[in-house]
C-alpha cells in the first residue's frame, strides 16, 4: 500500500478492450489515500465517470499524450489543483467505497426479501 500511494497522484491506465470487464483495483487505494487520479482511459468507463462526477482527477485518451504531459508540467509548479482534487478523491472514497458501505451493499443483495 505504501508504494502505490507514495506519489502526488495515481496514474491509472486502462485499455479500451477491457472497459466493462474490469476496474483497476489501485484506484481504491489512491482514493483512500486522497490522491487525485490521472487516467489514460476511454471516456465511457467507470474510472472516467468517477473522475468526472467527483472532480477527483483528470482523464486523457491514449492519443492525448501531449496534453497529459502538459498537465503534469503545469502541476509540478502548482500543487493547489493536486490538493483540491485529492480532497475530492478522499471524499469520494468515504462516500462510496468504504468497507462498511460494501458490507451494507452485499447485505442488501443477500437479505433483500
Amino acid at each position: 500500500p505504501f508504494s502505490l500511494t507514495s506519489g502526488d497522484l495515481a496514474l491509472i491506465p486502462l485499455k479500451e478492450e477491457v472497459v466493462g470487464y474490469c476496474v483497476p483495483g489501485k484506484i481504491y487505494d489512491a482514493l483512500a489515500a486522497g490522491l487525485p487520479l490521472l487516467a489514460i482511459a476511454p471516456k465511457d468507463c467507470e474510472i472516467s465517470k468517477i473522475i468526472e462526477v467527483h472532480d477527483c482527477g483528470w482523464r486523457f485518451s491514449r492519443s492525448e499524450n501531449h496534453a497529459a504531459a502538459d498537465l503534469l508540467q503545469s502541476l509540478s509548479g502548482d500543487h493547489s489543483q493536486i490538493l483540491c482534487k485529492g480532497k475530492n478523491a478522499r471524499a469520494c472514497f468515504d462516500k462510496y467505497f468504504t468497507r462498511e458501505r460494501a458490507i451494507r451493499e452485499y447485505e442488501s443483495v443477500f437479505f433483500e426479501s
Side-chain angles (χ1 to χ4, degrees):
F2 301 112
S3 63
L4 290 177
T5 60
S6 64
D8 290 331
L9 55 80
L11 177 61
I12 313 290
L14 184 70
K15 289 185 176 182
E16 191 165 336
E17 296 83 8
V18 298
V19 170
Y21 296 108
C22 72
V23 175
K26 64 183 171 179
I27 69 163
Y28 306 108
D29 291 333
L31 293 172
L35 295 178
L37 307 177
L38 174 57
I40 308 301
K43 184 176 176 114
D44 297 325
C45 70
E46 188 68 24
I47 298 166
S48 298
K49 291 174 190 170
I50 289 170
I51 290 170
E52 183 179 330
V53 169
H54 302 285
D55 192 26
C56 61
W58 304 267
R59 186 212 59 87
F60 295 95
S61 68
R62 292 178 76 184
S63 64
E64 296 176 302
N65 53 350
H66 292 290
D70 290 343
L71 171 72
L72 290 172
Q73 183 68 38
S74 71
L75 292 175
S76 70
D78 177 15
H79 276 64
S80 63
Q81 288 185 66
I82 290 173
L83 294 173
C84 179
K85 291 186 187 285
K87 287 179 185 177
N88 294 346
R90 181 58 201 207
C92 172
F93 178 83
D94 287 339
K95 187 169 183 179
Y96 294 104
F97 300 115
T98 62
R99 180 181 307 202
E100 293 78 16
R101 174 154 178 144
I103 290 169
R104 284 194 310 270
E105 294 289 327
Y106 277 115
E107 285 176 341
S108 72
V109 170
F110 291 118
F111 300 114
E112 194 173 85
S113 46

